[in-house]
Amino acid sequence: MSARDPRERVPSRWEEITAADPAHSTRFVARFRDLAARGQDVVGEARLVDAMLHRGARVLDAGCGGGRIGGHLHAAGHTVVGVDVDPVLIDAAREDHPGPLWLVGDLAELDLPARGVRADFDVVVAAGNVMPFLAPATRVAALSAIARHLAPDGRAVLGFGAGRDYGFDEFLADTETAGLTADLLLSSWDLRPFTADADFLVAVLSARA
């Protein structure tokens, strides 16, 4: 067996799931549309991010899915760019949440200036277990790209649950490798402190100068 070309793109875990089950993305979109239609709270992550921002801030929704977070932040008055590797989810975001710029893209290869978009975001948010859906080999690259897209005083807000083959200690070590510093660790999007036995992590990070 020949060695993999290091220049070859590594598919994310999400892409592996959707390749094995082509209807997965459509069901995912339908699930959140149904939750929203039934009045369920699907934007708690966005409320935390909104509280961190001045009106008209620039937000990158990294791994935006169907646009529930970025769409809410756009409605709150922010300039939003959303990026997701899944074209089905981007199509849903464009349909359900017009206004933000929704782009298909791999976070591990993120280079928005090359696509004519400024890399000076006040917040980069990745909610909905985006981080564990990355391929393990690309995690540091994706975190480094997030760091590069922050404004000098910008912050990254990244949240995901335990038990998804990405330990919190490993993640925090990867953020350090990627040039990010943890400013605040929480165990939920409603500001509960992080503890050693927490089953969820929300990390607020800044890029090292």
Side-chain angles (χ1 to χ4, degrees):
M1 179 182 296
S2 61
R4 183 181 67 82
D5 185 337
R7 296 169 297 180
E8 181 182 347
R9 182 177 173 275
V10 179
S12 67
R13 286 178 165 173
W14 182 269
E15 289 172 289
E16 292 175 345
I17 292 168
T18 56
D21 178 7
H24 179 81
S25 299
T26 302
R27 291 197 306 272
F28 181 86
V29 170
R31 173 175 171 251
F32 278 98
R33 283 174 173 168
D34 181 63
L35 288 172
R38 290 191 281 119
Q40 296 293 313
D41 182 7
V42 296
V43 295
E45 304 100 319
R47 287 196 300 275
L48 184 151
V49 172
D50 183 45
M52 297 169 59
L53 295 169
H54 58 82
R55 293 302 100 188
R58 287 176 50 77
V59 178
L60 173 58
D61 188 354
C64 60
R68 62 188 177 88
I69 304 304
H72 182 87
L73 291 168
H74 170 78
H78 304 297
T79 298
V80 175
V81 178
V83 176
D84 200 285
V85 75
D86 190 330
V88 174
L89 302 186
I90 289 296
D91 284 345
R94 290 169 177 163
E95 180 179 349
D96 293 350
H97 305 285
L101 176 62
W102 304 113
L103 299 171
V104 177
D106 183 346
L107 295 183
E109 300 176 348
L110 191 66
D111 183 2
L112 290 180
R115 302 174 74 169
V117 180
R118 301 196 324 264
D120 60 349
F121 292 97
D122 299 293
V123 162
V124 177
V125 57
N129 293 304
V130 167
M131 303 314 299
F133 279 124
L134 297 170
T138 69
R139 289 167 175 165
V140 171
L143 289 165
S144 298
I146 286 171
R148 290 194 302 272
H149 282 74
L150 288 172
D153 59 351
R155 289 168 290 180
V157 188
L158 315 178
F160 65 97
R164 294 177 175 271
D165 197 28
Y166 197 7
F168 296 151
D169 288 344
E170 182 184 3
F171 164 74
L172 292 171
D174 285 348
T175 64
E176 285 286 331
T177 301
L180 292 163
T181 298
D183 298 326
L184 177 66
L185 301 181
L186 304 167
S187 68
S188 69
W189 291 96
D190 61 354
L191 302 178
R192 299 177 191 275
F194 184 76
T195 59
D197 60 349
D199 60 6
F200 201 89
L201 170 65
V202 178
V204 180
L205 309 118
S206 55
R208 292 196 296 272

